Amino acid sequence: MEHANGDENGNGETFSPIWFTLSMNTGILSILLHQLPYNAQWMRDCSSILFVFNLLLFTFFTIVHIIRLIRFPRSALQQANDAEGASFWACAPIALLTIVAQLGLTASQASWGSHAFTVVAYVFWWFAQGWVFCMAPLVYLFLAKTAQFQDKPLSPAIILPAVGVSTASVVGATVANFSHDMSARLAVPLVIWGYMLNGIGAFLAFFVYALFLQRMFVKGIPEPAKIPSLMLLVGPMGQAAGALMQLGTVAEKDFGSYQRGKFLQLMSGDSLSAASVMLALMFVGLDIFFVIFALYPMLEATWKRQLSFSMVWWSTIFPNATLNLAFIELSVVMDSPTFRVLAVGLFLILLIDYFCCWAFTIRGILRGNILDGRQESEKRD
């Protein structure tokens, strides 16, 4: 195939929103390092390094996408009209939310940060959750209007907007729970809206689960190149479980200070915290089911040597990291050695996965298999 407009049909074409998954994964691993059981100062230092690296990644990808929209609007519009590509636009606000979480966890607690960064994290959270909250219905309306999945298997990527809404919920809880000198006056409205976001994300995920499983029973398992993306199904329930437990902790801590009406009282906060843990356990159980559900086809395809690296492999980290965060929260609320060991073990697996993805990505770029554009163009010809 001839490339008359090499720049537009090459790198500009293939630099899609899926690259924000690198920022998402870096951000959530930095959060895990900060929150892991058996923590040490060197782990907090590594968490801070990943936080800064995530800031650089997000800034770079944002600048590249802005330039792409200005310089190559036709290519960007073509990608936005693709159902799977539209779903990946949720990756950008999710990546931003991981940065917001670290503003509360790390920046506000640092000697140079204090309450000023608590306010910054609070303001940025409201902005980021508004972004992902508005994007979710727009993406699903677009999928409904275009009906691009009518005659082909559904892509697991369609669950990403639900993951984004659930991520907004858990990050809001993190900001309220761990930011320096967070007052009840600021935290309680965040908790109320956080529970609403959690409900939206969880129930959207249930609808997508039902639709996806029904279509998979009819159309079969996705093609080998997209099998790793089945891990995306793990994301919503892990985030929902973590959000429930953290929101319950904040409610237990701050409802008594807030004291408005019949619900925003100390006793309600205690009851809400206990109920949140019970629901979180149910969600974690469903999450473990989807881990096994996604792992079987991946192992089978590996055994048959049908798998090769692509950017889709980056989608195996963030969803499982949400389950890891849920394990960490369960280890705290239950004082459970079992969940502490599970959290550390899963983190080590994810860390290996993360460095492997980086190694294969760099190799793919150097070989011209990634950020080249010829593969996508040839498929359309």
Side-chain angles (χ1 to χ4, degrees), residues 132-268:
V132 76
F133 176 73
C134 292
M135 178 176 288
L138 289 176
V139 170
Y140 288 128
L141 281 171
F142 169 77
L143 295 178
K145 290 183 68 175
T146 58
Q148 295 184 38
F149 291 116
Q150 186 173 3
D151 299 318
K152 60 182 181 180
L154 282 174
S155 168
I158 67 170
I159 208 165
L160 280 170
V163 174
V165 178
S166 294
T167 301
S169 177
V170 72
V171 170
T174 300
V175 170
N177 201 17
F178 296 103
S179 295
H180 176 74
D181 198 24
M182 173 67 73
S183 66
R185 183 173 61 87
L186 293 178
V188 171
L190 191 152
V191 169
I192 299 302
W193 183 234
Y195 271 113
M196 293 182 184
L197 288 173
N198 203 24
I200 294 168
F203 282 103
L204 276 176
F206 291 147
F207 299 147
V208 174
Y209 286 154
L211 181 62
F212 182 81
L213 289 175
Q214 188 274 334
R215 290 296 296 273
M216 197 177 72
F217 293 153
V218 175
K219 300 289 184 179
I221 294 173
E223 60 183 308
K226 294 184 178 180
I227 284 178
S229 65
L230 287 172
M231 279 296 178
L232 289 171
L233 301 175
V234 178
M237 294 298 99
Q239 293 293 58
L244 281 169
M245 287 182 282
Q246 288 199 38
L247 289 169
T249 299
V250 180
E252 185 178 21
K253 179 178 64 175
D254 288 333
F255 275 18
S257 302
Y258 201 77
Q259 291 190 352
R260 299 284 179 86
K262 294 183 178 180
F263 180 66
L264 300 176
Q265 301 291 335
L266 178 61
M267 291 184 63
S268 298

Side-chain angles (χ1 to χ4, degrees), residues 244-303:
L244 281 169
M245 287 182 282
Q246 288 199 38
L247 289 169
T249 299
V250 180
E252 185 178 21
K253 179 178 64 175
D254 288 333
F255 275 18
S257 302
Y258 201 77
Q259 291 190 352
R260 299 284 179 86
K262 294 183 178 180
F263 180 66
L264 300 176
Q265 301 291 335
L266 178 61
M267 291 184 63
S268 298
D270 294 340
S271 301
L272 195 58
S273 178
S276 295
V277 174
M278 180 193 69
L279 287 173
L281 285 168
M282 296 180 183
F283 288 165
V284 167
L286 183 58
D287 226 22
I288 293 172
F289 166 82
F290 277 114
V291 169
I292 298 171
F293 179 85
L295 200 55
Y296 275 141
M298 290 179 64
L299 292 175
E300 181 183 9
T302 301
W303 177 260

Side-chain angles (χ1 to χ4, degrees), residues 357-378:
C357 284
W358 266 116
F360 280 108
T361 300
I362 293 171
R363 187 182 72 167
I365 293 173
L366 294 176
R367 291 184 174 183
N369 299 325
I370 298 175
L371 279 183
D372 178 52
R374 288 174 293 181
Q375 294 174 341
E376 285 75 13
S377 300
E378 288 167 1

